Amino acid sequence: MAFLATFNFVLFLIVLASLLHFTADARRLVESDQPDQPLLFQYHNGPLLSGKISVNLIWYGKFKPSQRAVVYDFVTSVASSKPTIAQPSVATWWKATEKYYQLSKKPYSLAISLGSQILDDNYSLGKSLTNQQIMELASNGGQKNAINVVLTSADVAVEGFCSSRCGTHGSGLGGSSKGLNSKFAYIWVGNSETQCPGQCAWPFHQPIYGPQNPPLVAPNNDVGLDGMVINLASLLAGTVTNPFGNGYYQGPKEAPLEAASACPGIYGKGAYPGYAGDVPVDATTGANYNAHGVNGRKYLLPALFDPATSTCSTLA
């Protein structure tokens, strides 16, 4: 997808939404002439992820231990119920996905936990990956009751990265049991720090188009990794509520608006194109965040679409 210098920021946010999509193809989103018209999410009667689900992290390329810890703590924070964690918390943000399960009127329940970690810092498939190779890497994780997350380092090029997406989620065929093939869910997110931070790490970097407001300060002092957390959070919410393309979404199946991608660029109250919204500022570091996590972490997480009110719901 080619970007034009005259591209305005409203359309940039729509492209930003398309960068987090379900399929391997670039998607095209059309801005509504009636922006106040509520989105009508539909449940397409397919399964949601349920039961005890492990999130397995597959690190491809060079990541520092401190960088891995940022993501590790985020996934742990999703499932944390520790009363000592300040509010609003990552777990509070994640709890909003329960509304999708309640509206499905099916006996679904979901418990997310951190699974295994796989390190591939020798670039076993090279530094330029195709969609098929991403799925190949994802298949190295568990293939039952799991979400396998492939995270590629800043020096790895991935098909469609930056030009049409920051990450994606989908499903693959796992092993067979009693003659039936099982499916596993997977997510891929790339580190955009050196390749396209203005697209995939906003609002921690100035956007490539539109109003050039000062960027927010990354809460973990790493523009690339904090950007990855935003994209991972968005895709994780989309994965559990629309894992196989027939769950909750609005629009065409090939280019669905999902739980987080329906609310692009919104992180706090009062958000508008070019402004992420009113979010707290850490008094010590000056970093911007809206959610507390384990080990004293702070994160900036995207708004989630509330299917009960047809509005974008923020933590801050």
Side-chain angles (χ1 to χ4, degrees), residues 202 216 265-272 274-280:
W202 187 84
L216 301 186
I266 301 175
Y267 299 91
K269 302 295 184 183
Y272 56 83
Y275 178 61
D278 299 328
V279 296

Side-chain angles (χ1 to χ4, degrees), residues 11-33:
L11 291 180
F12 167 74
L13 286 181
I14 293 180
V15 171
L16 186 64
S18 75
L19 292 173
L20 292 166
H21 63 85
F22 177 72
T23 65
D25 299 324
R27 76 196 206 183
R28 300 176 180 176
L29 304 182
V30 179
E31 183 183 11
S32 173
D33 291 331

Side-chain angles (χ1 to χ4, degrees), residues 68-207:
R68 294 199 297 269
V70 171
V71 177
Y72 179 99
D73 285 347
F74 166 69
V75 176
T76 303
S77 299
V78 167
S80 178
S81 58
K82 294 182 179 179
T84 55
I85 296 178
Q87 295 296 325
S89 66
V90 174
T92 301
W93 171 84
W94 182 251
K95 192 173 179 64
T97 62
E98 293 180 1
K99 292 185 178 181
Y100 290 83
Y101 288 76
Q102 294 165 358
L103 290 176
S104 73
K105 298 181 180 179
K106 294 184 179 180
Y108 287 126
S109 64
L110 175 66
I112 291 284
S113 64
L114 181 67
S116 61
Q117 297 193 70
I118 299 173
L119 304 183
D120 188 343
D121 53 8
N122 292 320
Y123 305 91
S124 62
L125 299 178
K127 291 188 176 182
S128 182
L129 304 179
T130 64
N131 295 324
Q132 185 58 41
Q133 288 173 318
I134 290 294
M135 185 175 292
E136 181 180 337
L137 290 170
S139 66
N140 291 329
Q143 298 186 4
K144 185 177 181 180
N145 299 325
I147 301 172
N148 297 329
V149 180
V150 178
L151 302 129
T152 51
S153 59
D155 57 347
V156 174
V158 177
E159 183 180 346
F161 188 35
C162 296
S163 64
S164 62
R165 57 183 182 164
C166 301
T168 192
H169 80 85
S171 62
L173 290 177
S176 60
S177 176
K178 298 180 180 180
L180 298 175
N181 287 324
S182 62
K183 287 183 177 181
F184 67 91
Y186 73 87
I187 293 172
W188 159 71
V189 176
N191 186 342
S192 67
E193 181 180 12
T194 59
Q195 298 185 52
C196 55
Q199 292 163 254
C200 296
W202 187 84
F204 301 128
H205 191 282
Q206 286 185 315

